[in-house]
Amino acid sequence: MASETGEVAPAANREGETPVLERTETGDEATVVEEGTELERTIGLRGGLAIGIGTMIGAGIFVFPGIAAGDAGPAAAASFAIGAVIALLVALPTAELATAMPRSGGGYYYISRGMGALFGAVVGLSLWFGLVFASAFYLVGFGFYAQAVLDRLGVSLGGFDVVIPLALLCGAFLTVLNVTGTENAASLQNAVVGILLAIIVSFLSYGGLSAVGVVGAAEPIGEPFLSQGALSVLTTAALVFTSYLGFAQVATVAGEIKRPSRNLPLAMVGSVVVVGVLYVATIFVAVSAFGSQRLSTLGETAMVAVAESFLGPLGAIAILVGGLLATVSSANASVLSTSRAIYAVSKDALLPRWASRISLRYGTPHVALGLAGGPILLLVALGEVEVLAEVASFLHLIMYGLMCVALVALRRNEPAWYDPDFRVPAYPLVPVLGALASFALLGFMQRLSQVVGLAIMLLSAVWYYYYAADVTLRGVV
């Protein structure tokens, strides 16, 4: 575990494994440096923004409006706004940590270096499963939209529900795509996000004008803003927070970001701001068009009906295409980030070393991608949308809160290697508020999600004491 100065010793070698760290002697002092091949930096600012925006834009706009409106009424817009504020409070400290430690692994890497191996192991393994739950949620969303497309085209499958089979096929495809190269996945992400933004901005432009009576013949719904009560705003914020996981996924691929001192903060903060505005506007437009009660009956594809009410069949087709692209984009970025979390934990010997092997042909962590894709497909088979979303939110909120704590710890100790190119403004207020808000939101989740999240954290701690209690880490060198 970390010493009082933030320095930690090399990891113990394990029989049959390549040492994680290499120890070299210089005079009276020993220097420990990380051994092994680093991933190539191939992702620029556009790619970083595409990962952040592409991950977040899927669930928030195309899957959640009907569910959130049913839970919180028109105030669902406030739920998304609360989520954006919390995400921003965490994104700023994360940006500082990322510029000080531009390594793959994101939150795991920062917490392990700031708070020690035990916290790092619990967060790293929990992040693995948190991203697995998020990826499965996005893929199930893809399945709903894909089935809606088939229904729209009049393709009859004899009443057979193809949501889960289509989600499984998409998950397998994205896993293979990421194995064949980060640039392939990043290129897909850039293209998808560009098309998505064009569709969404067009939809919101018309929908916003319709909501205020400039175009169309929409009648005012007249529904009270807090029709479901004030508490529902917070419980819904806890549910939809899955929508804001994208900025942290940028940090998980920090080791592959070009010019990280500039591009990491811009990608993380920029993606939260852009997507937060789009979420709030989308809920406003959707509720203005249909009212929350009617919207809630339309489920995961509610936005198709809203678009069709505005622009007819053309609007429905545009949103169906957007929903397919958005859920693919979210799932693609999540599969990529899940593998990098596994890769980072394995490099530190908290998982078997073979999990961090890199494909000589493609330069990607192919074993880690397999360990990501397999559990994702298992969870997809369950198809429980709300539970998948909340468990992902629970585990990420734990990580977000601890990242803020890690920043305060590192600032207090100021180890020699901690030299960020970006410093969070209004320190320590921002990280303290980020930690408190992240932990507080956990209390508003449904009991099943809390139990599953805590069980994953407990099992992660058990694994650490069983497998890696002798592993200690050192700060970035």
Side-chain angles (χ1 to χ4, degrees):
M1 293 190 296
S3 68
E4 295 179 354
T5 62
E7 302 284 345
V8 286
N13 294 346
R14 300 185 183 282
E15 183 178 354
E17 294 184 357
T18 305
V20 174
L21 302 172
E22 179 184 13
R23 186 179 180 89
T24 59
E25 303 291 339
T26 306
D28 295 330
E29 298 183 354
T31 302
V32 183
V33 294
E34 292 189 28
E35 187 183 61
T37 304
E38 289 295 328
L39 298 172
E40 185 180 355
R41 296 190 182 277
T42 58
I43 303 174
L45 176 58
R46 285 181 58 195
L49 283 168
I51 290 172
I53 294 174
T55 305
M56 292 188 283
I57 213 169
I61 288 180
F62 293 96
V63 178
F64 269 139
I67 299 171
D71 290 343
S79 300
F80 278 101
I82 290 170
V85 170
I86 295 174
L88 197 57
L89 287 172
V90 178
L92 289 167
T94 305
E96 176 174 327
L97 293 167
T99 59
M101 296 170 275
R103 302 287 194 277
S104 293
Y108 156 72
Y109 199 93
Y110 314 144
I111 292 167
S112 66
R113 269 56 184 180
M115 301 178 67
L118 172 59
F119 283 98
V122 172
V123 168
L125 297 175
S126 297
L127 175 60
W128 172 8
F129 289 103
L131 288 168
V132 163
F133 273 85
S135 303
F137 166 65
Y138 301 139
L139 288 168
V140 172
F142 167 84
F144 278 109
Y145 270 87
Q147 179 162 283
V149 168
L150 294 176
D151 292 341
R152 179 72 56 167
L153 294 174
V155 177
S156 176
L157 297 171
F160 182 66
D161 189 341
V162 296
V163 171
I164 300 304
L166 289 173
L168 291 170
L169 285 173
C170 183
F173 166 76
L174 293 177
T175 301
V176 173
L177 177 71
N178 278 274
V179 168
T180 61
T182 302
E183 289 182 277
N184 293 335
S187 297
L188 172 66
Q189 199 75 2
N190 290 342
V192 166
V193 169
I195 298 171
L196 271 177
L197 290 177
I199 292 173
I200 292 167
V201 170
S202 299
F203 165 78
L204 290 179
S205 297
Y206 186 92
L209 293 173
S210 176
V212 297
V214 175
V215 298
E219 297 181 2
I221 300 298
E223 187 177 0
F225 185 71
L226 291 173
S227 61
Q228 303 298 320
L231 182 61
S232 68
V233 177
L234 295 175
T235 56
T236 303
L239 169 64
V240 303
F241 195 77
T242 312
S243 305
Y244 291 102
L245 305 187
F247 76 88
Q249 295 191 19
V250 177
T252 63
V253 296
E256 296 160 86
I257 298 284
K258 302 173 185 176
R259 297 179 62 192
S261 62
R262 169 184 176 271
N263 291 339
L264 279 170
L266 288 175
M268 281 187 274
V269 175
S271 60
V272 171
V273 172
V274 169
V275 173
V277 170
L278 291 176
Y279 285 167
V280 174
T282 298
I283 292 293
F284 170 76
V285 167
V287 174
S288 297
F290 276 18
S292 64
Q293 291 187 353
R294 183 181 173 192
L295 202 63
S296 68
T297 64
L298 300 173
E300 289 80 1
T301 56
M303 293 306 295
V304 177
V306 175
E308 188 165 24
S309 73
F310 288 149
L311 300 169
L314 181 62
I317 292 171
I319 290 299
L320 282 169
V321 171
L324 284 173
L325 293 175
T327 49
V328 167
S329 173
S330 295
N332 179 55
S334 296
V335 169
L336 175 67
S337 300
T338 308
S339 66
R340 271 43 176 189
I342 298 169
Y343 170 82
V345 173
S346 174
K347 282 197 70 178
D348 283 341
L350 301 179
L351 284 175
R353 180 65 171 163
W354 48 260
S356 63
R357 290 175 182 164
I358 296 176
S359 167
L360 296 178
R361 180 176 181 182
Y362 299 113
T364 56
H366 59 297
V367 177
L369 280 161
L371 292 173
I376 288 169
L377 296 179
L378 288 176
L379 284 177
V380 164
L382 298 177
E384 296 292 334
V385 175
E386 290 197 34
V387 173
L388 291 172
E390 274 207 353
V391 173
S393 291
F394 182 95
L395 295 171
H396 277 80
L397 283 165
I398 292 290
M399 180 183 72
Y400 291 169
L402 289 178
M403 281 197 297
C404 293
V405 174
L407 173 64
V408 174
L410 286 167
R411 282 280 198 106
R412 181 174 298 178
N413 291 329
E414 286 288 349
W417 52 262
Y418 189 74
D419 185 25
D421 294 308
F422 170 82
R423 293 268 177 173
V424 63
Y427 175 87
L429 181 62
V430 168
V432 169
L433 288 177
L436 292 176
S438 298
F439 293 141
L441 203 57
L442 298 173
F444 295 98
M445 293 184 173
Q446 57 180 304
R447 183 61 56 86
L448 177 60
S449 302
Q450 293 171 334
V451 169
V452 173
L454 288 172
I456 290 173
M457 293 177 64
L458 178 61
L459 290 173
S460 298
V462 170
W463 171 263
Y464 169 78
Y465 282 112
Y466 166 75
Y467 180 81
D470 60 333
V471 173
T472 52
L473 310 171
R474 188 178 185 221
V476 179
V477 293

